[in-house]
Amino acid sequence: MKYCMECGAKLEERFLENEGMIPYCPACQAFRFPVFSTAVSMIVLSPGRDRVLLIKQYGRPAYILVAGYINKGEDAEHAVRREVREEMGLTVGQLHYNRSEYFPNTNTLMLNFTCVAEEDCLDGMTAEVDEAAWYPIEEARRRIKPDSLAQRFLEDWVRAGQN
Ligand SMILES: [Zn+2]
């Protein structure tokens, strides 16, 4: 970030106690912390918790997890329930936070959750999703996009004992 997002003035670096060197706008007299998006990524489990929902989206061939951006003012748990309903037409029961990872390609902090769907019918899926299917956990691990953030989230969840 080189310029102030409010007034467009050139930022300088100033020392902020407990934070270090932070971009500062001399015109606004305000620190300008780095801006990034926050999104949720979901390991959606079938009601019996024995299958994982994988989807294909935007014409891409690889299977990924359901994900979506958090709205300003919205908590992450609400975003999980809203996104799964909007994209898949499914109601989420239990949910559990797993871990986060920054995704540089889209400047987004991804928060990974596990959540359990209350039904497994995929008829309510939006047209934004090309394809969706439930896979037994071992098969989902084989099918998910290799070397992707979604794969790392799924593998870490398996390794952690599938909370
Ligand atoms: Zn400014």
Side-chain angles (χ1 to χ4, degrees):
M1 195 166 57
K2 286 187 173 147
Y3 300 96
C4 175
M5 86 251 305
E6 295 293 335
C7 75
K10 200 167 180 354
L11 297 174
E12 51 192 50
E13 297 262 303
R14 277 211 194 169
F15 182 76
L16 179 61
E17 210 176 332
N18 300 323
E19 298 288 348
M21 296 305 282
I22 300 293
Y24 180 85
C25 176
C28 298
Q29 301 191 342
F31 284 97
R32 297 298 183 207
F33 284 87
V35 175
F36 55 92
S37 302
T38 317
V40 286
S41 146
M42 283 71 82
I43 298 169
V44 183
L45 297 174
S46 60
R49 299 186 61 108
D50 57 342
R51 288 170 299 153
V52 175
L53 184 64
L54 297 184
I55 66 166
K56 291 183 180 178
Q57 219 170 358
Y58 311 123
R60 296 185 188 130
Y63 275 112
I64 53 168
L65 297 172
V66 179
Y69 286 99
I70 301 178
N71 293 328
K72 184 169 182 177
E74 183 181 34
D75 59 70
E77 291 81 358
H78 185 273
V80 168
R81 295 180 190 283
R82 180 181 53 74
E83 284 290 338
V84 174
R85 165 150 309 282
E86 284 175 6
E87 294 205 0
M88 305 310 308
L90 295 171
T91 303
V92 164
Q94 270 187 304
L95 59 81
H96 175 88
Y97 171 70
N98 296 323
R99 71 173 187 88
S100 64
E101 189 172 321
Y102 177 70
F103 188 58
N105 300 28
T106 56
N107 185 32
T108 302
L109 179 66
M110 298 290 294
L111 312 179
N112 180 247
F113 284 79
T114 305
C115 61
V116 183
E118 293 191 338
E119 63 275 335
D120 58 11
C121 171
L122 299 176
D123 294 348
M125 185 175 102
T126 165
E128 280 179 42
V129 176
D130 300 329
E131 201 181 315
W134 298 102
Y135 289 106
I137 292 160
E138 286 309 310
E139 194 178 344
R141 292 174 72 189
R142 286 194 300 273
R143 284 182 179 263
I144 201 161
K145 186 180 181 185
D147 303 317
S148 64
L149 183 52
Q151 185 192 39
R152 288 198 291 283
F153 282 148
L154 184 64
E155 286 302 310
D156 287 351
W157 170 73
V158 169
R159 208 169 297 133
Q162 307 178 10
N163 291 309

